[in-house]
């Protein structure tokens, strides 16, 4: 057995833990939100914290002439750096004294004193201890296990979920369809969380009949009693686009005890409707506001991630992820005051939903450009309005002090009903002119305009569901049609398909466990059987 030569001491352990402590909060935030973020959301943050940590470590090294002591001083700095925002947020839920202590002009000096005194004590009292370095190194590795597992497992799942495992023999294979002469373009326009006209009037006090009438006058059939099949976006859209219920597509549905969403995001991206239409020679076009369901492999793809939208507008700014991270650190005061920033002045400084505002401005701007793309084309448009959070008034102006909703630690959903109604009015004003252009074009397309689910319970599954189709297909839609049958009718009546019309059923489930479905029945008197 080979060992250390006699007379030689084993090498001292190197204290690498400051770098791992530095990246832990970034990876932890990324892992916690991995299913909601665009690819590479944390890359810039990781680069900045690594470089920043090396600089702090290097400066302390110049002062102390000791890797071990400078590593401990750097770790102490990181502890204070990353905990400031959390401590201040805790003070917001306390009494007046806690609020006073949590004010930046009080807490920042306290933090500075703690840092100066603590650093002095470490510098003067620290003595090299090999076991201490080993413990901190081991602790830093242990902290990274969970966030790395969350990130890696998510990407492994996304890689392993392939079309071979989704579209298979039988009902999930592209059908033997026939394209008509001069096949029309097809537009699927999803307004996320857009509920039905009767629910808007009863629950929110909004008369949406003028919008419904405008659609009817353009030749749409607006189903008066339509429900979504599921109560959450990934389940609802993946069911509609695969023209079946998840219970039929997957005998093991629902999974037990966890929210494993990658499969259902993939079923939205690559689906039976898309496969059928691509087989018929349709090109795909995608502009989607919700990043987990973007069709980034569409023939024509409009990216809407914050970095891309900012680059197109020549704007340099922090992403939502970077702002979330920044508010947890000692940099939080920079997000609490108006400082020099290169933002569009029409968006309030430090606005919490700046990414969403800018994305939707960009999306609405690009809609008319899509019309000019030569066909035949299948266009998937997803607009994340009137889905919360709410940042637009009905006239399109920005809500200066938007309410923070319950899953972000703020008000209950029911206390934002007025803002929801205004969001409905705003998206009406943006989408109706676009639809008018589509309908009045020389070769009108087929259009489905729908909500993927409603707003909040009760009536969460009541949705806007409007159709502009050829006459044969229009004769087949009915008042309580659900989205699972929409493309079955289109393929049968326009492309010679033989899909049986399914029984319409709806399933509700809680936000915290989307797979815990229970059958949902109509609650509005005018639509109850």
């Amino acid at each position: 057995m080979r060992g250390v030569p006699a007379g030689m001491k084993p090498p001292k352990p190197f204290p690498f833990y400051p770098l791992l402590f530095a990246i832990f909060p970034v990876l932890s935030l990324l892992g916690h939100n991995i299913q909601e973020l665009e690819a590479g959301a944390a890359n810039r943050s990781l680069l900045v914290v690594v470089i920043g940590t090396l600089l702090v470590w290097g400066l302390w090294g110049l002062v102390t002439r000791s890797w071990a002591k400078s590593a401990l001083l750097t770790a102490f700095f990181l502890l204070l750096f990353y905990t400031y925002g959390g401590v201040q947020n805790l003070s917001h839920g306390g009494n007046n004294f806690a609020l006073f202590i949590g004010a930046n002009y009080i807490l920042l000096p306290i933090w500075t004193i703690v840092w100066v005194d603590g650093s002095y004590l470490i510098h003067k009292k620290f003595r090299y201890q090999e076991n201490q370095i080993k413990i901190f190194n081991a602790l830093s590795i242990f902290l990274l296990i969970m966030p790395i597992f969350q990130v890696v497992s998510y990407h492994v799942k996304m890689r392993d979920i392939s079309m071979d495992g989704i579209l298979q023999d039988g009902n999930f294979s592209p059908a033997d369809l026939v394209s008509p002469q001069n096949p029309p373009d097809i537009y699927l326009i999803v307004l996320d969380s857009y509920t039905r006209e009767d629910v808007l009037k009863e629950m929110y006090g909004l008369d949406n009949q003028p919008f419904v009438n405008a659609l009817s006058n353009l030749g749409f059939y607006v189903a008066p009693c339509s429900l979504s099949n599921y109560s959450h976006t990934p389940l609802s859209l993946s069911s509609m686009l695969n023209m079946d219920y998840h219970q039929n597509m997957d005998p093991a549905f629902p999974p037990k005890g966890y929210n494993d969403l990658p499969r259902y995001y993939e079923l939205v991206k690559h689906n039976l409707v898309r496969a059928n239409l691509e087989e018929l020679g349709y090109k795909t076009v995608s502009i989607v506001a919700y990043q987990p369901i973007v069709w980034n492999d569409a023939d024509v793809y409009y990216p809407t991630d914050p970095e891309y939208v900012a680059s197109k507008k020549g704007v340099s700014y922090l992403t939502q992820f970077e702002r979330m991270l920044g508010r947890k650190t000692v940099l939080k005061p920079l997000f609490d005051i108006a400082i020099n920033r290169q933002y569009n002045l029409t968006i309030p400084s430090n606005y919490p939903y700046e990414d969403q505002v800018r994305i939707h401005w960009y999306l609405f701007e690009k809609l008319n450009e899509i019309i000019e793309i030569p066909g035949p084309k299948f266009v998937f448009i997803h607009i994340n309005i009137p889905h919360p959070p709410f940042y637009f008034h009905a006239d399109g102006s920005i809500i200066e002090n938007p309410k923070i909703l319950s899953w972000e630690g703020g008000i209950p959903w029911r206390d934002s009903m007025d803002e929801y109604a205004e969001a409905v009015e705003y998206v009406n004003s943006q989408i109706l002119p676009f639809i008018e252009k589509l309908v009045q074009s020389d070769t009108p397309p087929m259009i489905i305009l729908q909500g993927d689910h409603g707003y909040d319970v009760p009536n969460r599954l009541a949705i806007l569901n409007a159709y502009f189709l050829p006459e044969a297909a229009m004769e087949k839609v009915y008042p309580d049609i659900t989205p699972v049958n929409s493309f079955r009718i289109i393929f049968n009546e326009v492309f010679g398909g033989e899909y049986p019309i399914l029984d319409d059923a709806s399933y509700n489930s809680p936000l915290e466990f989307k797979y815990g479905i229970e059958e949902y029945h109509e609650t509005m008197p005018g639509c109850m059987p």
Side-chain angles (χ1 to χ4, degrees):
M1 180 176 178
R2 301 177 63 182
V4 179
M8 292 186 61
K9 294 182 178 180
K12 295 179 179 180
F14 182 78
F16 56 77
Y17 61 84
L19 285 175
L20 301 192
F21 283 163
I23 65 175
F24 165 70
V26 182
L27 291 180
S28 180
L29 186 64
L30 177 66
H32 185 70
N33 297 280
I34 187 65
Q35 296 185 136
E36 306 294 327
L37 293 169
E38 66 276 5
N43 290 352
R44 191 160 61 178
S45 298
L46 287 169
L47 179 62
V48 169
V49 299
V50 167
I51 293 175
T53 300
L54 290 174
L55 287 174
V56 172
W57 197 356
L59 291 172
W60 275 125
L62 293 175
V63 173
T64 64
R65 304 296 181 181
S66 165
W67 278 112
K69 185 178 291 188
S70 61
L72 188 58
L73 285 163
T74 302
F76 180 63
F77 170 82
L78 290 170
L79 175 66
L80 294 176
F81 179 82
Y82 279 119
T83 57
Y84 180 90
V87 170
Q88 189 183 58
N89 288 337
L90 286 175
S91 72
H92 292 167
N95 54 32
N96 290 337
F97 179 75
L99 290 172
F100 172 74
I101 294 297
N104 286 321
Y105 64 87
I106 298 296
L107 192 59
L108 265 179
I110 292 175
W111 235 240
T112 302
I113 292 170
V114 171
W115 174 62
V116 171
D117 289 350
S119 299
Y120 177 81
L121 289 173
I122 293 172
H123 182 52
K124 292 299 183 180
K125 302 296 184 181
F126 173 80
R127 296 294 182 268
Y128 176 81
Q129 297 181 23
E130 186 173 301
N131 286 339
Q132 178 195 72
I133 294 176
K134 290 180 179 178
I135 290 171
F136 281 150
N137 281 347
L139 177 61
S140 67
I141 294 172
F142 176 78
L143 287 174
L144 291 179
I145 292 175
M146 179 55 71
I148 289 177
F149 173 78
Q150 290 173 318
V151 174
V152 172
S153 63
Y154 175 78
H155 287 291
V156 168
K157 288 175 185 176
M158 293 303 292
R159 184 198 64 190
D160 291 345
I161 296 171
S162 66
M163 286 306 299
D164 292 338
I166 295 174
L167 298 183
Q168 41 192 300
D169 293 337
N171 291 335
F172 303 108
S173 298
D176 186 16
L177 303 174
V178 178
S179 181
Q181 189 174 10
N182 300 320
D185 291 345
I186 302 174
Y187 283 77
L188 172 60
I189 306 172
V190 177
L191 307 180
D192 205 307
S193 299
Y194 199 122
T195 196
R196 218 167 51 201
E197 190 275 333
D198 56 344
V199 177
L200 281 170
K201 188 171 184 178
E202 177 72 21
M203 300 293 296
Y204 302 95
L206 174 64
D207 182 5
N208 205 37
Q209 195 61 48
F211 179 70
V212 172
N213 290 342
L215 292 176
S216 298
N217 292 337
L218 289 171
F220 278 80
Y221 175 77
V222 183
C225 295
S226 188
L227 298 173
S228 61
N229 299 108
Y230 298 91
S231 56
H232 300 286
T233 297
L235 295 181
S236 175
L237 290 184
S238 56
S239 172
M240 179 193 65
L241 287 167
N242 290 284
M243 303 186 293
D244 210 341
Y245 296 99
H246 290 289
Q247 299 92 309
N248 298 337
M249 290 188 281
D250 184 358
F253 183 89
K256 301 297 183 183
Y258 61 98
N259 275 327
D260 185 17
L261 292 177
R263 173 177 175 81
Y264 303 97
Y265 289 144
E266 184 67 20
L267 281 165
V268 176
K269 296 177 182 180
H270 301 104
N271 53 76
L272 183 53
V273 168
R274 179 178 176 181
N276 275 343
L277 292 172
E278 288 176 336
E279 192 78 10
L280 290 166
Y282 275 73
K283 69 175 62 173
T284 52
V285 181
S286 169
I287 184 165
V288 173
Y290 182 46
Q291 295 306 308
I293 59 171
V294 297
W295 293 8
N296 52 11
D297 59 349
D299 296 305
V300 181
Y301 167 57
Y302 290 86
T304 58
D305 58 276
E307 291 86 351
Y308 178 83
V309 173
S311 69
K312 297 299 288 183
K313 294 298 181 182
V315 178
S316 176
Y317 73 111
L318 299 177
T319 67
Q320 184 175 14
F321 177 84
E322 290 162 351
R323 292 197 297 275
M324 288 169 61
L325 180 65
R327 288 192 181 95
K328 296 178 180 294
T329 73
V330 77
L331 300 178
K332 188 175 184 294
L334 299 181
F335 297 93
D336 295 337
I337 61 176
I339 60 174
N340 294 327
R341 297 171 67 193
Q342 298 176 351
Y343 288 162
N344 189 322
L345 295 178
T346 57
I347 303 178
S349 184
N350 302 311
Y351 195 69
Y353 302 124
E354 180 167 4
D355 289 347
Q356 292 93 327
V357 169
R358 202 178 298 281
I359 285 169
H360 282 94
W361 280 349
Y362 174 78
L363 188 154
F364 290 132
E365 177 186 305
K366 289 296 180 181
L367 288 183
N368 290 328
E369 185 178 302
I370 292 174
I371 299 176
E372 305 303 323
I373 299 172
K377 57 183 180 287
F378 175 38
V379 182
F380 176 42
I381 299 171
H382 173 274
I383 299 170
N384 214 32
I385 303 173
H387 190 287
F390 305 113
Y391 32 85
F392 287 123
H393 287 297
D395 62 2
S397 60
I398 294 175
I399 299 174
E400 291 191 7
N401 296 298
K403 296 176 180 177
I404 306 300
L405 299 182
S406 55
W407 65 81
E408 298 173 20
I411 66 168
W413 288 7
R414 292 184 181 280
D415 292 345
S416 60
M417 295 172 74
D418 291 342
E419 287 83 355
Y420 175 79
E422 285 204 86
V424 168
E425 292 183 279
Y426 171 68
V427 78
N428 287 352
S429 70
Q430 298 300 302
I431 204 66
L432 188 58
F434 172 64
I435 290 175
E436 288 174 345
K437 288 184 180 180
L438 290 177
V439 170
Q440 294 166 3
S441 62
D442 293 336
T443 55
M446 292 188 280
I447 305 171
I448 300 175
L449 174 67
Q450 71 164 58
D452 55 346
H453 52 78
Y455 185 32
D456 197 17
V457 290
N459 313 112
R460 178 174 170 81
L461 279 78
I463 57 169
L464 169 73
N465 199 4
Y467 300 87
F468 185 86
L469 305 173
E471 184 177 355
M474 288 289 270
E475 291 177 353
K476 297 295 183 178
V477 295
Y478 47 94
D480 57 349
I481 185 174
T482 62
V484 74
N485 282 316
S486 296
F487 280 98
R488 287 177 175 263
I489 289 174
I490 289 174
F491 285 134
N492 289 350
E493 303 305 322
V494 180
F495 298 99
E498 297 181 354
Y499 288 103
I501 302 302
L502 303 179
D503 291 337
D504 292 295
S506 299
Y507 300 92
N508 197 13
S509 56
L511 179 65
E512 62 274 11
F513 182 45
K514 297 178 176 65
Y515 305 143
I517 61 172
E518 295 182 357
E519 192 166 1
Y520 177 90
H521 299 285
E522 182 62 68
T523 62
M524 297 301 290
C527 291
M528 292 176 67

